[in-house]
Amino acid sequence: MTQNAVGVEFTQRLTENPTSAEERAAVLANPGFGDYFTDHTAIVDWSIDAEGKGGWHDARIEPYGPIALDPAAAVLHYGQEIFEGLKAYRHADGSIWTFRPEANAHRINRSAQRLALPELPPEVFVESLRQLVSVDKDWVPGGDGEALYLRPFMIATEAFLGVRPAREVSYRVIASPAGNYFGGELKPVSIWLSEHYARAGHGGTGEAKCGGNYAASLAAQLEAEANGCKQVLFLDPTNDNAVEELGGMNIFFVFTDGRLVTPALNGNILHGVTRDSVLQLAQDRGLAVEERKITIDEWRESLADGTLSEVFACGTAAVITPIGELKTASGSLVSPAHGSDSVAMAIREQLLGIQTGTVEDLHGWLTRLA
């Protein structure tokens, strides 16, 4: 049993068949994204009785493997599920750090509130990452742009078919070595404008990080891929076709007068940790940051009059990716070429430098895991 500074006790039952050093090295030579998984998982269970008595218990590290679920488990029928995404980075001295885990802990609890799941103490969230990475630290790659992607998630496991919040829940963390999200050299991507689907509705689950939001985006994603695009952009058709976000990334616009504009958080848009970090770093650089409504018409008009200089997307997996073209059923909006001195690339390099320990962390964003 491992006792830590915050008083959360994790037991450890390590795998009897760990991945060999040779097999692991082969994976880390070309990790891809989400294709391979480490040897262990972190788990904390939650349960209450009919009177609401109970809570979190049985924190542990176990071998990675299938989850046994009753066919009547609430997650399978009512989608009571949330998740997070963050990364662990290997620094030059071999130590392993993660980036703003407290923000992810806050966001998973915001999601939990919306999906009627229990809130997880932030110190337990961070400790679960530390416990998993400490036993699977050899899986953290050290190549340029590489990291160990951490996927905390929470599912309702109680077996019942009544429509109410589950009284049994499992919180887990799995980890996957990750390379560049879009693969190879960073190049501007083409995205597709969804004009038939909406990602979220007002009063819905748009700002919660839950699987249903992503499932609802897949039909539009298939449409995007059929049109040669890697991502899809969603609008709010009830609000002058205001730009909201991509299927899994927030979006930014850079104007020639030094303004950085991103859609305001309105209940439909995910509170991106990378988004928030980009806003802070942009302010540090003296850019005028605006969180506000921006419509597809403004995008089109600002391209036409030359006042829009860059468009880019950001998220945990891809960090920052320039957008070269927005394809629509009626034509394309082509962004100006991104140079190496672009705002997007400058902030990307600074952000990656902070995460990997080569640039000073002035905001105290890093937390050591191992």
Side-chain angles (χ1 to χ4, degrees):
M1 181 174 292
T2 303
Q3 181 82 26
N4 60 76
V6 297
V8 178
E9 295 182 349
F10 275 78
T11 60
Q12 291 188 356
R13 181 173 65 84
L14 303 186
T15 179
E16 296 179 356
N17 298 292
T19 304
S20 70
E22 293 76 17
E23 291 175 306
R24 188 171 56 248
V27 169
L28 296 183
N30 184 25
F33 184 83
D35 296 324
Y36 305 95
F37 299 93
T38 68
D39 291 323
H40 298 92
T41 179
I43 307 171
V44 190
D45 292 325
W46 179 89
S47 59
I48 58 172
D49 59 22
E51 296 179 351
K53 296 178 181 178
W56 293 103
H57 56 89
D58 293 339
R60 61 200 185 275
I61 298 294
E62 291 186 353
Y64 180 95
I67 299 174
L69 281 177
D70 191 288
V75 65
L76 302 176
H77 300 272
Y78 304 122
Q80 220 185 340
E81 175 270 352
I82 56 176
F83 67 97
E84 270 301 319
L86 63 167
K87 291 178 177 178
Y89 305 86
R90 186 178 297 280
H91 288 193
D93 63 358
S95 61
I96 300 168
W97 301 72
T98 192
F99 182 75
R100 303 191 67 183
E102 298 84 1
N104 293 92
H106 179 68
R107 189 171 65 180
I108 201 172
N109 281 336
R110 183 188 296 113
S111 298
Q113 290 171 6
R114 184 62 184 84
L115 273 292
L117 286 161
E119 294 185 40
L120 183 74
E123 62 271 20
V124 178
F125 179 91
V126 175
E127 187 62 21
S128 69
L129 309 179
R130 184 174 285 113
Q131 289 284 329
L132 180 59
V133 170
S134 69
V135 298
D136 282 344
K137 57 182 178 292
D138 290 342
W139 283 91
V140 183
D144 185 36
E146 296 179 343
L148 184 69
Y149 183 78
L150 303 171
R151 170 53 62 87
F153 63 100
M154 193 184 298
I155 58 174
T157 54
E158 184 185 1
F160 77 108
L161 296 181
V163 182
R164 60 163 172 78
R167 295 172 185 155
E168 296 175 9
V169 167
S170 181
Y171 164 79
R172 295 169 179 255
V173 188
I174 57 176
S176 174
N180 187 292
Y181 186 69
F182 287 114
E185 181 183 353
L186 183 67
K187 297 179 180 178
V189 297
S190 295
I191 63 174
W192 175 253
L193 178 64
S194 177
E195 298 180 77
H196 303 292
Y197 301 101
R199 177 186 169 275
H202 297 289
T205 59
E207 67 177 9
K209 198 167 178 67
C210 61
N213 291 343
Y214 293 79
S217 75
L218 294 179
Q221 181 69 28
L222 290 174
E223 190 178 78
E225 292 173 2
N227 285 276
C229 298
K230 292 187 175 182
Q231 273 280 351
V232 60
L233 175 74
F234 292 100
L235 306 177
D236 180 358
T238 70
N239 189 24
D240 301 324
N241 284 325
V243 174
E244 292 208 321
E245 64 176 277
L246 278 63
M249 306 175 76
N250 296 112
I251 189 167
F252 283 86
F253 302 85
V254 182
F255 290 84
T256 54
D257 60 2
R259 288 178 295 136
L260 179 71
V261 178
T262 193
L265 300 174
N266 60 2
N268 294 358
I269 297 171
L270 189 69
H271 294 231
V273 177
T274 307
R275 173 190 182 277
D276 185 68
S277 305
V278 168
L279 291 173
Q280 181 61 63
L281 295 180
Q283 289 176 325
D284 293 347
R285 290 173 172 272
L287 293 172
V289 169
E290 298 179 6
E291 297 180 72
R292 63 168 174 83
K293 171 182 171 181
I294 181 168
T295 67
I296 195 70
D297 286 340
E298 181 181 352
W299 187 343
R300 184 178 290 107
E301 291 163 5
S302 59
L303 274 177
D305 65 21
T307 58
L308 181 63
S309 59
E310 300 176 37
V311 185
F312 65 89
C314 74
T316 298
V319 189
I320 289 177
T321 301
I323 295 172
E325 178 183 17
L326 174 67
K327 291 186 178 182
T328 78
S330 58
S332 294
L333 302 181
V334 180
S335 301
H338 281 246
S340 58
D341 59 347
S342 68
V343 170
M345 291 300 95
I347 293 179
R348 184 179 192 273
E349 290 305 310
Q350 184 180 8
L351 190 56
L352 284 172
I354 294 170
Q355 292 168 340
T356 56
T358 62
V359 171
E360 186 178 1
D361 175 20
L362 297 176
H363 296 286
W365 284 341
L366 294 179
T367 294
R368 185 167 181 168
L369 297 181

